[in-house]
């Protein structure tokens, strides 16, 4: 596929691979897969390097007989969790090197290199540089959304968003890909990818909030236009709901997921409540699970969940100087369990929740939202994304005569 991008998303206990492209500003997915690797990642932190490393290495010669797909991946975009995520603004300028004062690729690379040479905050590392606007000859009244290659000017400037993460997280992800023969060409922090998808679907504009209810954590990000500007998180997610059901009954995670899929939360008064599941406990006693029992566990989980959620949301609202938000965009794979979306909706009384899901055939679950959003970013910033392997000194200018 022309201009195809490979996106890898490593979340708690799972690795997702999505291959696709963008046509007429619409993401097109050609292949998607998800593999469970238990305990490989816990709350965004890598905990089983060998298992992850072995599985990722298999992508260099990857066969999916069921889908009749064979892949050989050497380059990939990788999604990073927004734990300790910070955003900074940066403005840099450089003289145009050409004697004819024509802006060339090397001038843009020199600008990006100036940004890369900035000192990251203590114990943090740059993971992405997103050009916001370009200016010629310091004229701020005429911003360029794309690199002004071929324009005439003596100086060119860039205003950019700089994304950073704790050095420990960045190092862990680098180590996971060691000896896999896969080059990380782009690094995208998850809220940025979700912003891209929400914008593409015309769900938001101006200033807004995006919530990512992930497997092992929940992030809440304040966004402006196309970018996240501030993010916070707490350590509860979908896996905690599954574990709560599993631990209460001792039925295993697969059965817990099955209960959520088939029955989930249902508070209708039916007058008759048959057993949802019959099982033997550790003492060999026969037990049953009824809908009211499952409802009580789910409510117990969400009481704790929304207590922590509201505390984190108040931090975001303070950062936004108590701006009133009409809507909140929610990316939540666990909302796809029976009845859970309605339960989440009912918590929001002052904001209208909009649930984010990709519309691409083959990847219409919320669990692929960030991957699909990454396709849009790869396409949009394909010529200006900062790659950690770029070295400006290896470039040279060829004067046009």
């Amino acid at each position: 596929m022309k201009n195809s991008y490979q996106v890898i998303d490593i979340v708690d206990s799972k690795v997702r691979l999505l291959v696709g492209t963008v046509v007429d500003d619409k993401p097109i997915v050609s292949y998607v897969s998800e593999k469970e690797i238990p305990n490989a990642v816990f709350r965004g932190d890598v905990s089983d390097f060998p298992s992850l490393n072995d599985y990722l290495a298999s992508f260099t010669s990857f066969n999916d007989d069921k889908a009749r797909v064979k892949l050989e991946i050497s380059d990939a975009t990788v999604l990073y969790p927004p734990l300790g995520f910070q955003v900074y603004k940066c403005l840099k300028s450089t003289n145009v090197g050409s004697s004819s004062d024509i802006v060339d690729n090397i001038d843009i690379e020199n600008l990006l290199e100036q940004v890369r040479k900035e000192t990251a905050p203590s114990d943090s590392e740059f993971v992405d540089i997103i050009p916001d606007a370009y200016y010629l000859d310091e004229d701020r009244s005429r911003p360029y959304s794309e690199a002004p290659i071929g324009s005439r000017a003596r100086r060119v400037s860039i205003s950019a968003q700089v994304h950073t993460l704790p050095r420990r997280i960045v190092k862990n992800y680098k180590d996971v890909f060691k000896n896999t023969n896969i080059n990380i060409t782009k690094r995208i922090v998850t809220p940025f990818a979700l912003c891209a998808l929400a914008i593409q679907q015309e769900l938001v504009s101006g200033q807004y909030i995006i919530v990512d209810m992930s497997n092992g954590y929940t992030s809440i990000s304040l966004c402006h236009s196309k970018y996240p500007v501030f993010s916070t998180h707490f350590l509860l997610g979908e896996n905690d709901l599954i574990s709560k059901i599993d631990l209460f009954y001792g039925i295993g995670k697969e059965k817990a997921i099955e209960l959520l899929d088939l029955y989930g939360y249902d508070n209708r008064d039916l007058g008759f409540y048959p057993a949802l599941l019959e099982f033997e406990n550790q003492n060999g006693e026969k037990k049953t699970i009824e809908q009211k029992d499952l409802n009580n566990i789910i409510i117990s989980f969400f009481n704790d969940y929304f207590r922590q959620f509201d505390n984190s949301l108040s931090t975001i609202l303070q950062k936004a100087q108590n701006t009133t938000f009409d809507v909140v965009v929610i990316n939540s794979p666990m909302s796809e369990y029976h009845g859970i979306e309605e339960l989440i909706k009912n918590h929001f009384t002052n904001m209208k929740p909009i649930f984010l899901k990709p519309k691409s055939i083959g990847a219409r679950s919320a669990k692929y939202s960030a991957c699909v959003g990454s396709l849009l970013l790869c396409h949009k910033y394909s010529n200006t994304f900062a790659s950690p392997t770029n070295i400006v000194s290896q470039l040279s200018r060829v004067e046009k005569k």
Side-chain angles (χ1 to χ4, degrees):
M1 182 181 288
K2 187 178 179 181
N3 295 327
S4 180
Y5 308 107
Q6 297 80 40
V7 182
I8 297 174
D9 187 14
I10 302 172
V11 299
D12 281 40
S13 307
K14 291 180 174 65
V15 176
R16 295 167 187 147
L17 169 66
L18 184 143
V19 181
T21 189
V22 177
V23 178
D24 296 330
D25 296 324
K26 294 181 180 180
I28 307 296
V29 175
S30 57
Y31 177 76
V32 66
S33 72
E34 180 183 68
K35 181 177 176 64
E36 186 163 350
I37 305 180
N39 306 315
V41 177
F42 182 69
R43 305 210 186 279
D45 267 336
V46 178
S47 51
D48 185 350
F49 286 89
S51 294
L52 275 177
N53 190 268
D54 289 346
Y55 180 61
L56 292 170
S58 73
F59 288 169
T60 57
S61 182
F62 184 76
N63 289 288
D64 187 333
D65 295 332
K66 186 177 180 181
R68 297 181 181 179
V69 169
K70 181 177 181 180
L71 298 172
E72 294 181 358
I73 296 176
S74 57
D75 300 307
T77 292
V78 177
L79 281 156
Y80 283 63
L83 310 182
F85 175 44
Q86 295 188 69
V87 182
Y88 299 89
K89 288 279 288 184
C90 187
L91 180 65
K92 294 294 180 182
S93 299
T94 187
N95 291 325
V96 174
S98 169
S99 58
S100 58
D101 292 340
I102 300 297
V103 179
D104 205 347
N105 284 310
I106 191 172
D107 300 308
I108 304 303
E109 285 296 332
N110 284 336
L111 283 174
L112 292 173
E113 184 62 12
Q114 285 189 48
V115 178
R116 293 185 194 114
K117 288 180 178 178
E118 284 286 296
T119 302
S122 177
D123 296 324
S124 295
E125 185 173 328
F126 294 154
V127 293
D128 206 357
I129 301 169
I130 302 97
D132 192 8
Y134 297 89
Y135 305 96
L136 299 178
D137 292 328
E138 314 291 348
D139 184 0
R140 301 292 175 78
S141 66
R142 294 185 61 193
Y144 291 77
S145 59
E146 303 288 341
I149 306 297
S151 298
R152 186 178 297 276
R154 293 187 176 182
R155 285 180 67 78
V156 60
S157 306
I158 185 174
S159 172
Q161 305 269 345
V162 181
H163 292 176
T164 73
L165 285 173
R167 189 171 289 115
R168 172 183 54 81
I169 290 177
V170 178
K171 180 181 183 302
N172 283 349
Y173 273 67
K174 285 180 180 177
D175 290 345
V176 160
F177 282 87
K178 278 184 179 178
N179 305 317
T180 63
N181 293 319
I182 296 175
N183 178 40
I184 302 176
T185 53
K186 294 175 177 57
R187 305 183 289 186
I188 299 176
V189 186
T190 300
F192 187 31
L194 297 178
C195 283
L197 185 60
I199 290 289
Q200 189 269 336
Q201 294 185 4
E202 299 182 346
L203 300 179
V204 291
S205 62
Q207 194 163 247
Y208 54 98
I209 292 171
I210 280 188
V211 176
D212 185 23
M213 298 178 177
S214 189
N215 292 64
Y217 64 84
T218 295
S219 68
I220 307 177
S221 301
L222 174 64
C223 307
H224 184 75
S225 184
K226 301 174 287 185
Y227 313 113
V229 296
F230 179 77
S231 186
T232 187
H233 71 276
F234 60 95
L235 300 179
L236 273 182
E238 178 185 354
N239 285 358
D240 296 282
L241 174 58
I242 295 168
S243 294
K244 191 176 184 71
I245 296 170
D246 171 28
L247 291 174
F248 191 86
Y249 292 113
I251 56 176
K253 291 185 178 180
E254 287 187 9
K255 283 292 184 183
I257 293 171
E258 185 179 314
L259 282 173
L260 286 167
D261 262 333
L262 294 176
Y263 307 106
Y265 181 76
D266 187 345
N267 66 348
R268 292 177 299 170
D269 185 5
L270 300 176
F272 173 65
Y273 300 95
L276 307 181
L277 179 69
E278 295 181 355
F279 66 99
E280 287 188 1
N281 64 15
Q282 293 178 343
N283 298 323
E285 299 170 330
K286 289 187 177 181
K287 297 288 184 179
T288 61
I289 302 175
E290 295 183 0
Q291 185 67 61
K292 63 180 180 180
D293 303 320
L294 185 57
N295 285 352
N296 288 337
I297 296 174
I298 292 172
I299 288 296
S300 174
F301 167 78
F302 276 106
N303 283 341
D304 185 29
Y305 181 89
F306 281 122
R307 179 181 58 79
Q308 295 192 46
F309 180 93
D310 290 343
N311 287 338
S312 295
L313 181 61
S314 67
T315 301
I316 292 288
L317 294 177
Q318 289 173 16
K319 194 73 176 179
Q321 299 180 337
N322 294 315
T323 299
T324 300
F325 295 92
D326 294 326
V327 300
V328 54
V329 177
I330 300 174
N331 185 65
S332 175
M334 70 176 165
S335 72
E336 295 170 1
Y337 293 131
H338 182 78
I340 301 300
E341 180 175 315
E342 196 64 30
L343 191 62
I344 294 172
K345 278 183 180 178
N346 291 339
H347 180 74
F348 294 91
T349 56
N350 298 322
M351 292 185 287
K352 178 185 176 182
I354 299 176
F355 287 85
L356 182 65
K357 290 183 182 180
K359 297 179 180 179
S360 305
I361 295 174
R364 288 180 172 170
S365 169
K367 64 186 178 183
Y368 295 119
S369 293
C371 292
V372 175
S374 294
L375 293 180
L376 295 164
L377 293 176
C378 289
H379 180 72
K380 181 176 177 61
Y381 297 105
S382 57
N383 296 322
T384 52
F385 246 105
S387 169
T389 58
N390 283 347
I391 301 176
V392 173
S393 61
Q394 292 179 347
L395 299 174
S396 61
R397 183 187 303 277
V398 178
E399 291 285 357
K400 297 177 182 178
K401 297 181 181 180

